[in-house]
Amino acid sequence: MHDEPIMDVAHLAHLEVLTPKPEESLRFFVDVLGMTESGRRGESVYLRAWDDYERYSLKLTGSNTSGLGHAAFRARSPQALQRRVDALQGSGFAVGWHEGELGHGPAFQFRDPDGHLIEVYYETEWYEAPPALRPSLKNQAQRFPARGVNVRRLDHLNLLTSDVTELRGFTEDVLGLRTTEKIVLDSGVEAGVWVTCNNKSYDLAFTLDHYGARGRFHHLTYAVDSREEILRAADVFLEAGVHIETGPHKHAIQQTFFLYVYEPGGNRVEVANAGARLMLAPDWPPVVWTESERRKGQAWGLKTIESFHTHGTPPIEQYDGPRTK
Amino acid sequence: MHDEPIMDVAHLAHLEVLTPKPEESLRFFVDVLGMTESGRRGESVYLRAWDDYERYSLKLTGSNTSGLGHAAFRARSPQALQRRVDALQGSGFAVGWHEGELGHGPAFQFRDPDGHLIEVYYETEWYEAPPALRPSLKNQAQRFPARGVNVRRLDHLNLLTSDVTELRGFTEDVLGLRTTEKIVLDSGVEAGVWVTCNNKSYDLAFTLDHYGARGRFHHLTYAVDSREEILRAADVFLEAGVHIETGPHKHAIQQTFFLYVYEPGGNRVEVANAGARLMLAPDWPPVVWTESERRKGQAWGLKTIESFHTHGTPPIEQYDGPRTK
Amino acid sequence: MHDEPIMDVAHLAHLEVLTPKPEESLRFFVDVLGMTESGRRGESVYLRAWDDYERYSLKLTGSNTSGLGHAAFRARSPQALQRRVDALQGSGFAVGWHEGELGHGPAFQFRDPDGHLIEVYYETEWYEAPPALRPSLKNQAQRFPARGVNVRRLDHLNLLTSDVTELRGFTEDVLGLRTTEKIVLDSGVEAGVWVTCNNKSYDLAFTLDHYGARGRFHHLTYAVDSREEILRAADVFLEAGVHIETGPHKHAIQQTFFLYVYEPGGNRVEVANAGARLMLAPDWPPVVWTESERRKGQAWGLKTIESFHTHGTPPIEQYDGPRTK
Amino acid sequence: MHDEPIMDVAHLAHLEVLTPKPEESLRFFVDVLGMTESGRRGESVYLRAWDDYERYSLKLTGSNTSGLGHAAFRARSPQALQRRVDALQGSGFAVGWHEGELGHGPAFQFRDPDGHLIEVYYETEWYEAPPALRPSLKNQAQRFPARGVNVRRLDHLNLLTSDVTELRGFTEDVLGLRTTEKIVLDSGVEAGVWVTCNNKSYDLAFTLDHYGARGRFHHLTYAVDSREEILRAADVFLEAGVHIETGPHKHAIQQTFFLYVYEPGGNRVEVANAGARLMLAPDWPPVVWTESERRKGQAWGLKTIESFHTHGTPPIEQYDGPRTK
C-alpha cells in the first residue's frame, strides 16, 4: 500500500511582486485589472481581487527592478504548518520564521532549490469589506467592482528555473504538491512542470529559464469566471494601451484559456479562466508532453510566441546571479 | 489547537438513479444531456459525461418508481477508505461491503440517518475511450461530444430529509464533509445544508422534505463550463420538449447559476456552472441564511417556484415509508 | 405587383426621458449602465453609449414626473425626410419643425395617435471622442468604458397605448415601419405590436395600457454584446441596489434575452442582447401570437410578472389625461 | 443634395461552393458545422443553417476543383430586382436570366469585373421544416440542432480579385452596395474592401489576389450567436480533425471575432459572431486603413498568418485563367 498523499498546503495565498514603476503598476492593477487596495506599508501596496477571502493576494513593492519578491502558501491547519516546517528545517532550504507581516500570522520562509523565496503560514486575516465595498450576497468577500477586467482571485504563478527536475522534487517531496502535467524533452530533460495542492489543476508551474539564470519569474495569473471575460479583458487591455504578448487562446497543456500582458513594471501577468476543469482524482497520473507534441503549438494551433520562452523578470540584462539568503 | 479536518473523502463519484421509464430516460441523458453509454448490466445502463475520469458517473436503473438508488463517493486513499469504514462500523448505519460492481472495487455501503443508501470506495477503473471517442488533447478523458447540452461532469446531488440537523451531524462527523452554507429557520430548525469534501463549494446538499418523508431525492446536477452554456441548455431543453421547472437564474445560496428540468422518469436534473467559485479556505465558516433572507428569492429576485419545495422522487404518492436495509 | 416598401426611416436615434430625480437618474445611467455624458443644456443632460455614432442617444430631463419626453428617428436621406414630412403634414398628427436642438439638425415633430411626441430628422452630429475617450480601433466611436454594464447602443423603446391597432396603422402607413410580430387576443383586439425600420427585428414596440391611459411609456432598451453580459449586468444591478423587476430570461416574442430594472426616476430600463437575430427578409410576414400561446409564459417557461403589465411612466397615479400639443 | 442611396439588394442569399471531395465536404457541413440538408439535384446538395429563412444558403457541388460556383443576392422587391437588371443589361457584365433553380424564382446572372458569377433574384421559397425539425418557438425557421458548431445563418463571402478598385466600383455603382471599410496601400492601391447592402457591416468583402489571378474565392462565413460559441467551435474543429488556419481572434477591420478552417474540399470557411455591431448610420463614411496600421496585426496583436494572404480556391496550381461566360 502506497503512502498517503501529503495534504498540508491548502492553496497559493499571495505573491509579492517587485516593480521599478510602482505608481504605474498600481494603476494597472487597480484601474485595469479591477483590483482593490487593502493596505500600505513602506514601499508596498497590498491589493486584492473581489473573491479573495484573505486581506490581500498581491503585495506590490517598489524596487530597483522587477520580479518576484516572494510567494506564499497557506497551510491547511496549524498541525499541517508544523509538519511542513519540520520537513523544511534541516533541509538546507529553510530561511526561518518571518513575523509581523500585514494580514497573516507567522510565516516560515525558505528558498526553493532555484533561489525563489517562498513562505507557508496558517493564521490569516479574513477580509472585512468597508461599507462602500460590501457585497449584496453574504457569501461573497467583496462587492463585484464592475471596473476593468474584474479579476476574481489569484490563480497561480509560474517560475523560471535552471533545473526543473530538482524543483519538482522539492515541491513534491518537501511541500507535498502533486505533479499533474509536465514536458519532457527528447533528451529526457524536464522542461516544464505543473503542480497542485488542491482541486485546481495547478497552483504553481515552473519552466526552464532560457538563459540558465536562477530565481527568475515567468508570470502570475488572476482568474476570471469565463472565457468570454478573457476576450473582454483583451478589449480592455487594448483600450488601456497595455502590451498584449499573446492570446487569448487555449493552452494544450492544462487547457487553460489564456491572455498574457506585461504590467508597466515589466512583469508578465496572465488572465485565465477560473476553473471549469477540476482535478478531482486524488491519484491523477501526470500527463507527459513530448517535444514533438509541443511543436504543434497551442490547442487550436497558435505557435508559441518567442518572447514567451525568453522574457522573465528581472530582465536578463539586470540579472546579477542566483539569490541567496 | 483544534483537531485537524478529516480529508478522507475525495469527491462525489457516481449516482444510481431509478426510473420507471428506462428507455426514455436513457434517451434524455444521451441525446439531450449529451452523455455517453459506457456499460450495461441487468436493468442498468452506465453513463458518463465527457470530463468524468472514472468509467461512469451515472447508473440508470429501470425500476417501478423513481428516486435515488444510491450515491457513491471515492475515498482519497486506501487508508482513508479504511478510516471511514472504521468510523461507520458499529455506528448503526453500516450496511456492509459490496463487491463486483462495474467500474470500481469494493465499496462500503451504509444508510444515512434518513435512509439514503450511500457507499465509499477507493479502487476505480479509469475510463479508456474507444477510438471513435478519443480526444485530441491527451489531458482529457473523452472527446467533447458537441451534442445536446454537453454536460462536463457530475457535480453534486441534493437529498430530501426528514431531519436536516441529524443528517448534517452524520455527514460532518462520520464522513468528514464540511458545511459551507445552511438555512436556519426562525424556529431554529435547520432547513437546508450544503457540504463539501474538497474545493467545490458543495458536493452534497440536503433540504427538509415538505411531507416529512424519509429517504427521498431532490435532484442531481451535472456541470457545464459557463453560464452561457446553461442558457444554451435551456434552448436545447425547449426544443427537445423537456419540462423546465425553473431557471436559468442565480441562486443566492452558493451563487450557483442553475437550470432545473425533469427527466422523463420524473427525477429532477440540474445543469449548473462548473466552478469559478472555489472554496480554497480550509477553515471556511458556514454562511447562515435566515428565513427573511430566503424570502427575498433568488439572487436576482426570482421567487422560488412552489414545486421546488414539494417535488421529490419517488413522488410522495408512491412513498411507502422509510427505507431500511 | 405590390407597392415597394417605404425605407425612409433609418433607425431609432434618441429618446428624451423625464425624471423627477435627475441627479440619481444621471448616476444610474453613467455609473451603473456605463454611459458617457456628452452635453448639458437647461434641465437636460445628454448621454451616449460607447457604440452610438451620433452625439447622444439619451436626453435625460429633470421634470416633476417620469415618462417619455420624446422619441427621435433618423431619416435615411434628406429626400426621405421630406417624404415623411409630406406624409405627416395634413395628417392631423403633425406638430411642426423643431430647430436648435443639441446634436442634430431640424426635426419634424408629431404626436402619434396615442399622444406620444416623436420626431424625425436627417442632419446629425457625429460623435468626436475627446482624447481620454478615444478608442484604440478607428472603426469605433468611443473607448469601451469597462464600467458597470457597458451598454453598447440604444436598441429600442416600448410605448403603452390605449389602441394598439390604431398606433400600428400609423407607424406602418405614415412612418413606413414594418410589423414583425404581434399579439392578437381571442377577442380580435391587438395587444402588442413590434415594428422595425431596418434589419433589427424591432426598433419600437407598443402594448396595451392596462389602465386605458394614453401617451404613457413602458421602457427603453440598451443593447450589450451577448447574453453573458446581461447576466453580468444582473450582478452589477444587484450590487448597485437597483430594483430588478424581472429577468434575465428569454422572451418567446422576438426571442430577446431580457433584463428589466427601474432607474431611480421610476422609468423601466431594459438591457438586451444586441442582435444575433436579424430580420434580413424584406418581406417578413408578421408572426401572430395568440392568447393561449402567451399564457405559456416566456420562452423557457417564466411566468410574466404582474407589474410588467401594469407599471408604466408616468405612474398611473400621476396621469392627468392624454397629451396634446 | 446628394443622390439617394440605392437600396435594391436586400441581403446575401446563398453561395454555390465547388468541392472535389463532395462526400467529405458534406459530412463537414452537416456533422461539424451543424447544417441541415434541404435538397439534392444532380451533383449538388443544398444545405441550410437553422436560422436561414430561405430553403438553403449553401449549394455544395461536386466538381473537379474547389472554389466558388456562384453567389446570390436577394433583391428587396420585384421593382428593385428590375432596376438592378436594367443597370446590368448593357453593362457588359450581364450573363442573363437563369430559371428553374431549386428554391427560388428567376435569377439574373452576371460576372463581376474579376469574373466571379453572381446572381440576383426576388422570388423565393420560405423554408418549411418537416415535423422532426420544427422549432418550439414559431418565430424561428428550424429547430436548433444542438450538433457541432450550430451555425446560425450565412453571413458573408470574401472574394479574391486582381483589381480591388474596379470591383469596388462595380459593387457600388451597379449593385448599389455601400463601402464601410477598406485598406489602401501606401502606393494608393486598394488592397481590400468591405461592402454592405443592409445593417450588417458587410455582406461581401474582396481582397487582392496574391498571384494576380482572377475569379478566385477567399472564404465564406457562417455566423453564430456569440464569441463564446466561436471558442467552442474551435474545440469542435479540434476534435473533428479539421484544419484550423487561424483564430479565434478579433480582426481590427470590422472587429469581427473570427475563426478560419479549411473544409475537406479545400475551401476556407469562417465562423464569426453574428452581429452585435450594426451599421445603422445610412451615411457611414468608409474607414480607411493604411499599410502601417495593417502591420500591427489583428486587434489584439496577432500577426496575420501567411497562408491567409495566399491560399484561395481553386488552388493557384489548378488555376487556368480568368473565367468567362
Side-chain angles (χ1 to χ4, degrees):
Chain A
M1 193 176 278
H2 291 291
D3 285 345
E4 289 196 73
I6 299 169
M7 298 288 297
D8 290 342
V9 176
H11 62 86
L12 176 64
H14 63 258
L15 301 175
E16 182 185 21
V17 169
L18 310 180
T19 173
K21 298 186 179 175
E23 194 48 44
E24 290 157 83
S25 292
L26 179 60
R27 295 271 54 85
F28 169 84
F29 285 105
V30 172
D31 297 343
V32 184
L33 279 198
M35 296 179 71
T36 300
E37 184 179 327
S38 53
R40 281 203 184 215
R41 189 183 280 184
E43 300 302 310
S44 300
V45 179
Y46 297 79
L47 295 158
R48 51 177 285 101
W50 63 270
D51 192 34
D52 288 324
Y53 74 90
E54 295 181 275
R55 179 160 171 185
Y56 60 88
S57 59
L58 183 66
K59 178 182 180 180
L60 184 65
T61 299
S63 170
N64 60 343
T65 187
S66 52
L68 181 71
H70 73 276
F73 289 87
R74 189 169 176 223
R76 198 171 293 275
S77 65
Q79 298 91 332
L81 174 58
Q82 190 54 51
R83 280 193 296 269
R84 285 315 101 205
V85 170
D86 293 346
L88 285 158
Q89 294 281 30
S91 69
F93 299 111
V95 172
W97 287 101
H98 176 75
E99 304 205 25
E101 176 59 282
L102 202 74
H104 64 80
F108 193 82
Q109 294 195 322
F110 54 95
R111 287 200 181 273
D112 71 27
D114 205 63
H116 305 94
L117 184 65
I118 308 181
E119 67 186 23
V120 190
Y121 65 87
Y122 175 70
E123 290 171 26
T124 195
E125 179 185 339
W126 286 65
Y127 179 66
E128 285 289 337
L133 297 180
R134 252 173 229 154
S136 287
L137 295 175
K138 63 198 289 185
N139 51 8
Q140 185 174 316
Q142 176 187 337
R143 180 172 295 191
F144 180 77
R147 180 181 72 245
V149 173
N150 292 305
V151 291
R152 179 171 190 138
R153 60 168 168 70
L154 178 62
D155 192 82
H156 66 267
L157 84 159
N158 187 310
L159 301 172
L160 291 173
T161 177
S162 59
D163 189 330
V164 167
T165 302
E166 186 182 34
L167 187 46
R168 180 176 57 76
F170 177 80
T171 54
E172 287 178 351
D173 300 340
V174 183
L175 299 184
L177 306 189
R178 294 176 293 141
T179 298
T180 54
E181 305 202 14
K182 62 180 173 176
I183 301 169
V184 179
L185 304 182
D186 295 348
S187 62
V189 170
E190 291 179 319
V193 163
W194 285 256
V195 293
T196 185
C197 52
N198 49 43
N199 294 127
K200 293 169 59 245
S201 62
Y202 57 116
D203 302 284
L204 169 64
F206 35 92
T207 47
L208 220 42
D209 192 310
H210 178 78
Y211 301 103
R214 302 184 66 182
R216 293 208 305 156
F217 181 50
H218 194 266
H219 70 263
L220 66 97
T221 302
Y222 273 88
V224 292
D225 284 3
S226 66
R227 304 202 286 194
E228 172 60 31
E229 294 201 39
I230 294 168
L231 301 180
R232 186 53 90 194
D235 290 330
V236 172
F237 290 133
L238 174 68
E239 293 291 39
V242 172
H243 173 67
I244 298 175
E245 185 186 34
T246 185
H249 202 90
K250 180 179 178 169
H251 279 303
I253 296 177
Q254 301 285 3
Q255 302 200 18
T256 310
F257 191 70
F258 65 83
L259 172 60
Y260 294 97
V261 302
Y262 296 168
E263 58 86 27
N267 296 291
R268 184 187 280 107
V269 174
E270 182 188 22
V271 178
N273 55 331
R277 183 164 178 259
L278 295 180
M279 195 61 44
L280 296 173
D283 52 352
W284 177 268
V287 173
V288 181
W289 299 86
T290 67
E291 224 172 307
S292 69
E293 287 168 339
R294 294 304 307 124
R295 269 195 291 271
K296 290 182 192 168
Q298 301 303 333
W300 299 321
L302 182 72
K303 296 307 170 194
T304 305
I305 201 165
E306 181 60 20
S307 62
F308 195 73
H309 295 302
T310 57
H311 178 80
T313 48
I316 196 64
E317 298 75 19
Q318 297 174 20
Y319 174 69
D320 54 3
R323 303 198 176 185
T324 58
K325 296 178 192 176
Chain B
M1 193 175 279
H2 292 292
D3 284 346
E4 290 197 72
I6 299 169
M7 299 288 297
D8 289 342
V9 177
H11 62 86
L12 177 64
H14 62 259
L15 300 175
E16 182 186 22
V17 169
L18 310 180
T19 172
K21 299 186 179 174
E23 194 48 44
E24 290 158 82
S25 292
L26 179 60
R27 295 272 54 84
F28 168 84
F29 286 105
V30 172
D31 297 342
V32 184
L33 279 199
M35 296 179 71
T36 299
E37 183 179 328
S38 53
R40 282 201 184 215
R41 189 183 280 184
E43 300 302 309
S44 300
V45 179
Y46 298 79
L47 295 158
R48 50 177 286 101
W50 62 270
D51 192 35
D52 288 324
Y53 74 92
E54 295 180 274
R55 178 161 171 184
Y56 59 88
S57 59
L58 183 67
K59 179 182 180 181
L60 184 66
T61 300
S63 170
N64 60 344
T65 185
S66 52
L68 181 72
H70 73 277
F73 289 87
R74 191 171 175 221
R76 198 171 292 276
S77 65
Q79 298 91 332
L81 173 58
Q82 191 54 52
R83 278 192 297 269
R84 286 314 99 206
V85 171
D86 292 346
L88 284 159
Q89 294 280 29
S91 69
F93 299 111
V95 172
W97 287 100
H98 176 76
E99 305 204 25
E101 175 60 281
L102 202 74
H104 64 81
F108 193 82
Q109 294 195 322
F110 54 95
R111 287 200 180 273
D112 71 27
D114 206 63
H116 306 95
L117 184 64
I118 308 181
E119 67 184 22
V120 190
Y121 65 87
Y122 174 71
E123 290 172 26
T124 195
E125 179 184 339
W126 286 65
Y127 179 67
E128 286 288 338
L133 297 180
R134 253 174 226 155
S136 288
L137 296 176
K138 63 199 291 187
N139 51 8
Q140 186 174 315
Q142 177 187 336
R143 181 172 295 191
F144 180 78
R147 180 181 72 245
V149 174
N150 292 304
V151 292
R152 180 171 191 138
R153 60 168 169 70
L154 178 62
D155 192 83
H156 67 266
L157 84 159
N158 187 309
L159 301 172
L160 291 173
T161 176
S162 59
D163 189 329
V164 168
T165 303
E166 187 182 33
L167 188 46
R168 180 176 57 75
F170 177 80
T171 55
E172 286 178 351
D173 299 341
V174 183
L175 299 183
L177 306 190
R178 295 177 292 141
T179 298
T180 53
E181 306 203 13
K182 62 178 173 177
I183 301 169
V184 179
L185 304 182
D186 295 348
S187 62
V189 170
E190 291 180 318
V193 163
W194 286 255
V195 293
T196 185
C197 52
N198 48 43
N199 295 128
K200 292 169 58 244
S201 62
Y202 56 117
D203 301 283
L204 169 63
F206 34 93
T207 47
L208 219 42
D209 192 309
H210 179 77
Y211 301 102
R214 301 183 67 181
R216 293 207 306 154
F217 181 48
H218 193 267
H219 70 262
L220 66 97
T221 302
Y222 274 87
V224 292
D225 284 4
S226 66
R227 304 202 285 194
E228 171 61 30
E229 293 201 40
I230 294 168
L231 301 180
R232 186 52 91 192
D235 291 331
V236 172
F237 290 133
L238 174 68
E239 293 290 40
V242 172
H243 173 67
I244 298 176
E245 184 186 35
T246 184
H249 201 91
K250 180 180 178 169
H251 279 303
I253 295 176
Q254 301 285 4
Q255 301 199 18
T256 309
F257 192 69
F258 65 84
L259 172 59
Y260 294 96
V261 302
Y262 295 169
E263 58 87 27
N267 296 292
R268 185 187 280 108
V269 174
E270 183 188 21
V271 178
N273 56 330
R277 183 164 178 259
L278 295 180
M279 196 60 45
L280 296 173
D283 52 353
W284 176 269
V287 172
V288 181
W289 299 86
T290 68
E291 225 172 308
S292 69
E293 286 169 340
R294 294 305 306 124
R295 269 195 291 269
K296 290 182 191 168
Q298 301 303 332
W300 300 321
L302 182 72
K303 296 307 169 195
T304 305
I305 201 167
E306 182 59 20
S307 62
F308 196 73
H309 295 301
T310 57
H311 178 80
T313 47
I316 197 63
E317 298 74 18
Q318 297 174 20
Y319 174 70
D320 54 3
R323 301 195 178 188
T324 58
K325 298 177 193 177
Chain C
M1 192 175 277
H2 292 291
D3 285 345
E4 290 197 73
I6 299 169
M7 297 289 297
D8 290 342
V9 176
H11 62 86
L12 176 64
H14 63 259
L15 300 175
E16 182 185 22
V17 169
L18 310 180
T19 173
K21 298 186 179 175
E23 194 48 43
E24 290 156 84
S25 292
L26 179 60
R27 295 271 54 84
F28 168 84
F29 285 105
V30 172
D31 297 343
V32 183
L33 279 199
M35 296 179 72
T36 300
E37 184 179 328
S38 54
R40 281 201 184 216
R41 190 183 280 184
E43 300 302 311
S44 300
V45 179
Y46 298 79
L47 294 158
R48 51 177 285 101
W50 63 270
D51 192 33
D52 288 323
Y53 74 90
E54 295 181 275
R55 179 161 170 182
Y56 59 87
S57 58
L58 183 67
K59 178 182 181 180
L60 184 66
T61 299
S63 171
N64 61 343
T65 186
S66 52
L68 182 72
H70 73 276
F73 289 86
R74 189 168 177 223
R76 199 172 290 276
S77 65
Q79 297 91 331
L81 174 59
Q82 190 55 51
R83 279 193 296 269
R84 285 313 101 205
V85 171
D86 292 347
L88 284 158
Q89 294 280 30
S91 69
F93 299 110
V95 173
W97 287 100
H98 176 75
E99 304 205 26
E101 176 58 281
L102 202 73
H104 64 80
F108 193 82
Q109 295 194 320
F110 53 96
R111 286 198 181 275
D112 71 28
D114 205 63
H116 306 94
L117 184 63
I118 308 181
E119 67 185 23
V120 190
Y121 64 86
Y122 175 71
E123 290 172 27
T124 195
E125 179 184 339
W126 286 64
Y127 179 65
E128 285 289 337
L133 297 180
R134 251 171 230 156
S136 286
L137 296 175
K138 63 199 289 185
N139 51 8
Q140 186 173 316
Q142 176 187 337
R143 180 172 295 191
F144 180 78
R147 181 181 71 245
V149 174
N150 293 305
V151 291
R152 179 171 191 137
R153 59 167 170 70
L154 178 62
D155 192 82
H156 66 267
L157 84 160
N158 187 310
L159 300 172
L160 290 173
T161 176
S162 59
D163 190 330
V164 168
T165 303
E166 186 183 34
L167 187 46
R168 180 175 58 74
F170 177 81
T171 55
E172 286 178 350
D173 299 340
V174 184
L175 299 184
L177 307 190
R178 294 177 292 141
T179 298
T180 53
E181 305 202 14
K182 62 179 173 177
I183 300 169
V184 179
L185 303 183
D186 295 347
S187 62
V189 170
E190 291 180 318
V193 163
W194 286 255
V195 292
T196 185
C197 52
N198 49 42
N199 294 127
K200 292 169 61 245
S201 62
Y202 56 116
D203 303 282
L204 169 64
F206 35 92
T207 47
L208 219 43
D209 192 309
H210 178 78
Y211 300 102
R214 301 183 66 180
R216 294 209 305 156
F217 181 49
H218 194 266
H219 70 263
L220 67 97
T221 302
Y222 273 88
V224 292
D225 284 3
S226 66
R227 304 202 287 194
E228 171 61 31
E229 294 201 38
I230 294 168
L231 301 180
R232 185 53 91 194
D235 290 331
V236 172
F237 289 133
L238 174 68
E239 293 291 40
V242 172
H243 174 66
I244 298 175
E245 185 186 35
T246 184
H249 202 91
K250 179 179 178 169
H251 279 303
I253 297 177
Q254 301 286 2
Q255 302 200 18
T256 309
F257 192 69
F258 65 83
L259 172 60
Y260 294 96
V261 302
Y262 296 169
E263 58 86 26
N267 297 292
R268 185 187 281 106
V269 174
E270 183 188 22
V271 178
N273 54 331
R277 183 163 178 259
L278 295 180
M279 196 58 46
L280 296 173
D283 51 353
W284 176 268
V287 173
V288 181
W289 300 85
T290 66
E291 224 172 309
S292 69
E293 286 168 340
R294 293 305 306 124
R295 270 195 291 271
K296 290 182 191 169
Q298 301 304 331
W300 300 322
L302 182 72
K303 296 306 169 195
T304 305
I305 201 166
E306 182 60 22
S307 62
F308 195 74
H309 295 302
T310 57
H311 179 81
T313 48
I316 196 64
E317 298 75 18
Q318 296 174 21
Y319 174 69
D320 53 4
R323 302 197 176 186
T324 58
K325 297 178 194 178
Chain D
M1 193 175 278
H2 292 291
D3 284 346
E4 289 196 72
I6 299 169
M7 298 288 299
D8 290 343
V9 177
H11 62 87
L12 177 64
H14 63 260
L15 300 176
E16 182 186 22
V17 169
L18 309 179
T19 173
K21 300 186 179 175
E23 195 47 45
E24 291 157 82
S25 292
L26 179 60
R27 295 271 55 84
F28 168 84
F29 286 106
V30 172
D31 297 342
V32 183
L33 279 198
M35 295 179 72
T36 299
E37 183 178 328
S38 53
R40 280 199 185 217
R41 190 182 279 184
E43 300 302 311
S44 299
V45 179
Y46 298 79
L47 295 157
R48 50 177 285 101
W50 62 270
D51 192 33
D52 288 324
Y53 75 91
E54 295 180 275
R55 179 161 171 184
Y56 60 87
S57 59
L58 183 67
K59 179 182 180 181
L60 184 66
T61 300
S63 171
N64 61 343
T65 186
S66 53
L68 181 72
H70 73 277
F73 290 86
R74 190 170 175 221
R76 199 171 291 277
S77 65
Q79 298 90 332
L81 173 59
Q82 191 55 51
R83 278 192 297 269
R84 286 314 100 205
V85 171
D86 292 346
L88 284 158
Q89 294 279 30
S91 69
F93 299 110
V95 173
W97 287 100
H98 176 76
E99 306 204 25
E101 175 60 282
L102 202 74
H104 64 81
F108 193 81
Q109 295 194 320
F110 54 95
R111 287 200 181 274
D112 72 27
D114 206 64
H116 306 94
L117 184 64
I118 308 181
E119 66 185 23
V120 190
Y121 65 87
Y122 174 72
E123 289 172 26
T124 195
E125 179 184 339
W126 286 65
Y127 178 66
E128 286 289 337
L133 298 180
R134 251 171 229 154
S136 287
L137 296 176
K138 63 198 291 185
N139 51 7
Q140 185 174 317
Q142 177 187 338
R143 180 171 294 192
F144 180 78
R147 180 180 73 244
V149 173
N150 292 305
V151 292
R152 179 171 192 138
R153 60 167 169 70
L154 178 62
D155 192 83
H156 66 267
L157 84 159
N158 186 310
L159 302 172
L160 291 173
T161 176
S162 59
D163 189 329
V164 168
T165 302
E166 187 181 35
L167 187 46
R168 180 177 58 74
F170 177 80
T171 55
E172 286 178 351
D173 300 340
V174 183
L175 300 183
L177 307 189
R178 295 177 291 141
T179 298
T180 54
E181 306 203 13
K182 62 179 172 176
I183 301 170
V184 179
L185 304 182
D186 296 347
S187 62
V189 170
E190 292 180 318
V193 163
W194 286 255
V195 293
T196 185
C197 52
N198 49 41
N199 295 127
K200 292 169 60 244
S201 62
Y202 57 116
D203 301 284
L204 169 63
F206 34 93
T207 48
L208 219 42
D209 191 310
H210 178 78
Y211 301 102
R214 300 184 67 180
R216 294 208 305 155
F217 181 47
H218 193 266
H219 70 262
L220 66 98
T221 302
Y222 273 87
V224 292
D225 284 3
S226 66
R227 305 202 285 193
E228 172 60 29
E229 293 201 39
I230 294 167
L231 301 180
R232 187 52 91 193
D235 290 331
V236 172
F237 289 133
L238 174 68
E239 294 290 40
V242 172
H243 174 66
I244 298 176
E245 184 186 36
T246 184
H249 201 91
K250 180 179 178 169
H251 279 304
I253 296 176
Q254 301 284 5
Q255 301 200 19
T256 309
F257 191 70
F258 65 83
L259 173 59
Y260 294 97
V261 302
Y262 296 169
E263 58 86 28
N267 296 291
R268 185 188 280 108
V269 175
E270 183 188 22
V271 178
N273 55 330
R277 182 164 179 259
L278 295 180
M279 197 60 44
L280 296 173
D283 52 352
W284 176 269
V287 173
V288 181
W289 299 86
T290 67
E291 223 171 311
S292 69
E293 287 169 340
R294 293 305 307 123
R295 269 195 292 270
K296 290 182 191 168
Q298 301 303 331
W300 300 321
L302 183 72
K303 297 307 169 196
T304 306
I305 201 166
E306 182 59 21
S307 62
F308 196 74
H309 295 301
T310 57
H311 178 81
T313 47
I316 196 63
E317 297 75 19
Q318 296 175 20
Y319 175 70
D320 54 3
R323 302 198 177 186
T324 57
K325 298 177 193 178

